[in-house]
């Protein structure tokens, strides 16, 4: 059973930065896709970014391209999301998710989910 534990959320002013982390436990061997999703109050959950554990292929939602960077440290089984130039519209609960072996930003394809970490951006 894969377990995902997010951390790093918090409150920041517009224009600021935050780095989220997601520690993964229980991975089996093979290729994995790990991703960040977010859900703002009253809105549906949406994809933010995804990365493969082999080769580091990345996918980004248009709304975060150029501002957010997804990365992973396979030695630590940890996923990161560096968020720069934050705007109030980035306020949401951020979730880490994992699937194997294919990678996409399609929410329904992910098998494992963390509990989320809150990000609040004030103007």
């Amino acid at each position: 059973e894969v377990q995902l534990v997010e951390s790093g959320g918090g409150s920041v002013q517009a224009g600021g930065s935050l780095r989220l982390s997601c520690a993964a436990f229980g991975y089996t061997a093979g290729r994995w896709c790990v991703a960040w999703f977010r859900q703002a109050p009253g809105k549906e959950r949406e994809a933010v970014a995804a990365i493969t554990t082999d080769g580091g292929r990345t996918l980004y939602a248009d709304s975060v391209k150029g501002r957010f960077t997804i990365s992973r440290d396979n030695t630590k089984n940890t996923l990161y999301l560096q968020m720069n130039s934050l705007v109030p519209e980035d306020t949401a609960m951020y979730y880490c998710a994992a699937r194997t072996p294919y990678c996409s930003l399609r929410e329904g394809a992910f098998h494992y989910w963390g509990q989320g970490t809150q990000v609040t951006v004030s103007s």
Side-chain angles (χ1 to χ4, degrees), residues 2-4 6 36-37 45 95-98 106-108 110-116:
V2 173
Q3 293 184 328
L4 304 170
E6 302 97 333
W36 290 99
F37 288 78
R45 189 155 55 186
Y95 298 90
C96 176
R106 189 168 66 89
E107 177 183 349
F110 283 81
H111 316 302
Y112 304 102
W113 292 85
Q115 294 300 306

Side-chain angles (χ1 to χ4, degrees), residues 68-113:
F68 291 10
T69 302
I70 191 170
S71 62
R72 86 275 186 246
D73 184 336
N74 290 345
T75 64
K76 298 179 180 179
N77 276 348
T78 301
L79 174 70
Y80 303 100
L81 184 69
Q82 178 66 43
M83 305 186 294
N84 298 327
S85 301
L86 285 161
V87 297
E89 291 73 24
D90 294 318
T91 295
M93 184 71 78
Y94 283 71
Y95 298 90
C96 176
R99 62 167 294 187
T100 185
Y102 304 110
C103 205
S104 73
L105 292 177
R106 189 168 66 89
E107 177 183 349
F110 283 81
H111 316 302
Y112 304 102
W113 292 85

Side-chain angles (χ1 to χ4, degrees), residues 38 46-49 60-68 84-85 87 89-90 94:
R38 66 185 181 185
E46 64 176 358
V48 175
Y60 289 95
D62 289 342
S63 59
V64 305
K65 282 180 182 176
R67 300 188 300 122
F68 291 10
N84 298 327
S85 301
V87 297
E89 291 73 24
D90 294 318
Y94 283 71

